[in-house]
Amino acid sequence: MEEEAERLREWLRLGYHGAMRWMERDPDMRSDPRSFFEGARSVVSVALNYYTPHEHDPDPRKGKVSRYAWGDDYHDVAREKLYDLLKRIEEIVPGVRGRVCVDTAPILDKAWAVRAGIGWLGKHTNVITTDFGSWVFLGEILLDAELEFDEEPVEDHCGTCTACLDACPTGAIVEPYLVDSNKCISYATIELRDEAIPAQVSENLGGWLYGCDICQDVCPWNRFRQETDETRFEPRPGNVSRDLDETAAMDHAEYVETFRKSAMKRTKLEGLKRNARALIEAQKTN
Ligand code: B12
Ligand code: SF4
């Protein structure tokens, strides 16, 4: 993983992680699963399709939610599936020890997915698969058993296409395969919680209330998307496009009730209200 580790260090050196200080914590550990799972010898990398065929409401009084957050929290869904898979592996390989990772472990999901032959790293820096496009979550099981690996890496099929770079309204994809989080709408509306949204981003939100899918929506590989059979990824009521006034006025009790087991909790109530206010403000000035 030395090449990927160096890319991560360079990304951090450039400050492209913004206020995500947790990304700075021990980047070498992030590049070597043995540092948090002693005895790790194999990584089983998985992708979980989350595409459901719904569209955003064009009403400007509603804010767009990114596709990954429409249904139940993928951490819970993917973790459950990975524990089932681990159980099956334990039946086949008695005595094997495993560790399930879904986003929260300090591990480079995308780099392992690429190595495992799940897909390739698109220029927007999401992993693209030939079967489902990029609408997949990634996760892993670390095992202390050595497995034969049977997948060859998938070659990079981005070619000369620059659709994602051209479409990104804030220029966050500063060069192919490199995202500056400070400029990214997804980062500003989800991860940047304790500050105002920077002007370069807030002036270009384009109606996004939580996350952003523009670079994936324009990707030609996403024409190969397929509807997921995981019903828990079906949108919750009002979660594809949310009413901005209602969101800006939400109280804590309503927030807790509405977003129980939803990935949208990540930005916290204040972050979500700040995003709604930023969109309402943007409409006044337009
Ligand atoms: C930090 C983070 C973010 C940050 C930074 C994004 C980024 N470019 O990494 C922000 C907040 C911006 C973000 C946004 C989103 N995220 Co995010 N995020 C993460 C997280 C927690 C860590 C990613 C990381 O390590 N970044 C560090 C940088 C250095 O990584 P990188 O640029 O990809 O480079 C690495 C490799 O790809 C490789 N590499 C780099 N360049 C190149 C070039 C070549 C040619 C090659 C071969 C390799 C290579 O080396 C690097 C080190 O490993 C992962 C979960 C995880 N634990 O991995 C989810 C994850 C990447 N996010 C995910 C999602 C869904 C999103 C959003 C789509 C959500 C949304 N709709 O709003 C957006 C997409 C924005 C975008 N264009 O990237 C999914 C992606 C699934 C997929 N199909 O790839 C992940 C994997 C979560 C998951 N478990 O499913 N995210
Ligand atoms: S998620 Fe949106 S803002 Fe971030 S890189 Fe993609 S298009 Fe740009």
Side-chain angles (χ1 to χ4, degrees):
M1 278 260 148
E2 195 33 53
E3 191 193 335
E4 293 93 336
E6 183 43 38
R7 283 185 169 276
L8 172 63
R9 284 194 288 267
E10 179 61 11
W11 189 72
L12 293 168
R13 246 192 318 271
L14 290 164
Y16 285 173
H17 58 305
M20 295 181 288
R21 306 306 293 260
W22 43 271
M23 282 296 300
E24 282 170 22
R25 248 178 272 141
D26 213 343
D28 293 334
M29 177 196 258
R30 209 165 258 281
S31 322
D32 185 357
R34 285 169 301 194
S35 56
F36 66 91
F37 182 68
E38 214 186 315
R41 292 171 79 192
S42 303
V43 178
V44 178
S45 183
V46 302
L48 177 58
N49 174 20
Y50 64 89
Y51 179 79
T52 58
H54 301 277
E55 300 288 334
H56 289 115
D57 188 332
D59 183 346
R61 288 165 304 180
K62 301 218 169 140
K64 294 184 249 182
V65 175
S66 59
R67 192 173 278 288
Y68 92 91
W70 288 354
D72 284 359
D73 189 340
Y74 72 93
H75 296 95
D76 301 332
V77 177
R79 199 175 295 121
E80 190 188 297
K81 287 178 186 289
L82 283 171
Y83 275 114
D84 282 351
L85 178 59
L86 177 57
K87 240 190 249 156
R88 283 171 58 188
I89 295 173
E90 284 166 349
E91 280 161 20
I92 299 166
V93 191
V96 73
R97 280 191 320 121
R99 157 103 194 243
V100 164
C101 307
V102 183
D103 214 3
T104 42
I107 188 165
L108 297 168
D109 290 344
K110 297 184 279 185
W112 284 110
V114 169
R115 284 198 166 212
I118 283 180
W120 72 97
L121 188 82
K123 290 181 185 174
H124 48 34
T125 79
N126 296 294
V127 170
I128 305 175
T129 69
T130 49
D131 291 337
F132 304 105
S134 62
W135 305 119
V136 291
F137 297 123
L138 304 175
E140 303 81 23
I141 300 178
L142 308 180
L143 295 174
D144 67 355
E146 191 135 351
L147 303 184
E148 271 177 46
F149 60 96
D150 55 1
E151 293 277 4
E152 287 299 316
V154 176
E155 75 180 85
D156 182 333
H157 290 298
C158 284
T160 54
C161 175
T162 55
C164 57
L165 286 107
D166 302 341
C168 175
T170 53
I173 311 173
V174 290
E175 58 182 69
Y177 314 102
L178 188 60
V179 165
D180 178 355
S181 304
N182 300 292
K183 296 181 180 169
C184 176
I185 295 170
S186 174
Y187 164 78
T189 56
I190 301 175
E191 299 293 338
L192 186 71
R193 287 190 283 268
D194 303 325
E195 317 171 19
I197 297 176
Q200 183 186 0
V201 179
S202 66
E203 285 159 10
N204 293 290
L205 281 174
W208 288 94
L209 172 70
Y210 185 89
C212 168
D213 284 334
I214 297 173
C215 49
Q216 298 183 89
D217 281 335
V218 298
C219 175
W221 282 96
N222 276 338
R223 70 185 183 277
F224 297 116
R225 64 202 179 187
Q226 293 186 44
E227 186 170 354
T228 181
D229 54 13
E230 176 48 75
T231 51
R232 286 172 286 182
F233 293 148
E234 272 301 315
R236 294 166 167 219
N239 232 25
V240 174
S241 308
R242 292 201 70 81
D243 187 279
L244 294 177
D245 292 322
E246 281 174 18
T247 306
M250 210 174 222
D251 65 23
H252 188 70
E254 195 186 348
Y255 173 78
V256 170
E257 178 59 30
T258 310
F259 297 115
R260 182 169 294 135
K261 291 195 169 205
S262 155
M264 277 184 79
K265 281 194 308 286
R266 182 147 180 90
T267 196
K268 309 270 192 304
L269 174 59
E270 277 320 307
L272 199 60
K273 288 168 87 159
R274 173 207 58 183
N275 297 348
R277 287 195 299 268
L279 288 177
I280 294 167
E281 276 311 306
Q283 278 170 21
K284 285 186 196 151
T285 51
N286 282 339

